[in-house]
Amino acid sequence: MNRLPVHNGGDDFVCLFVEPYCEIFWLKPGDEFTVVPGDGVPDPRFTVVTVKHRLVVWTNEGGDPAKVITDYTVVDRDGTELPDGHQWPAGRSPY
């Protein structure tokens, strides 16, 4: 199964947006999270757009932008599922 590991190699927080619901996960320096499509999702493909301190991830079936995959989880290095808003730093906006 395709998975998308995301690693923060910088020295500041990075905001990970997972679309289409704009779920937000904050990576501290050194963190690694993985976007995992749901079981049975055929041929998931990822599109990643970067903006300063932000990564926006879309997952599509077979790379077709009309076939957005909405069944996914985001997990940490230990495989623990992370909730929306994970590690939101005080006073930080994702925008």
Side-chain angles (χ1 to χ4, degrees):
M1 174 190 330
N2 290 344
R3 296 169 167 240
L4 178 68
V6 179
H7 179 82
N8 181 358
D11 59 1
D12 195 4
F13 279 87
V14 171
C15 184
L16 170 64
F17 285 88
V18 182
E19 297 288 6
Y21 301 125
C22 194
E23 291 189 304
I24 297 173
F25 307 86
W26 289 87
L27 291 91
K28 295 177 183 176
D31 278 350
E32 184 173 312
F33 299 162
T34 303
V35 180
V36 182
D39 290 336
V41 172
D43 193 24
R45 307 270 179 99
F46 301 96
T47 300
V48 179
V49 178
T50 61
V51 183
K52 185 177 181 179
H53 301 293
R54 286 180 277 169
L55 297 171
V56 182
V57 174
W58 288 86
T59 309
N60 302 83
E61 183 181 319
D64 184 343
K67 296 181 178 179
V68 176
I69 294 172
T70 59
D71 181 19
Y72 61 84
T73 56
V74 175
V75 299
D76 65 12
R77 281 188 175 126
D78 298 324
T80 303
E81 185 174 340
L82 304 175
D84 183 24
H86 180 70
Q87 298 186 143
W88 199 302
R92 290 291 289 263
S93 168
Y95 307 103

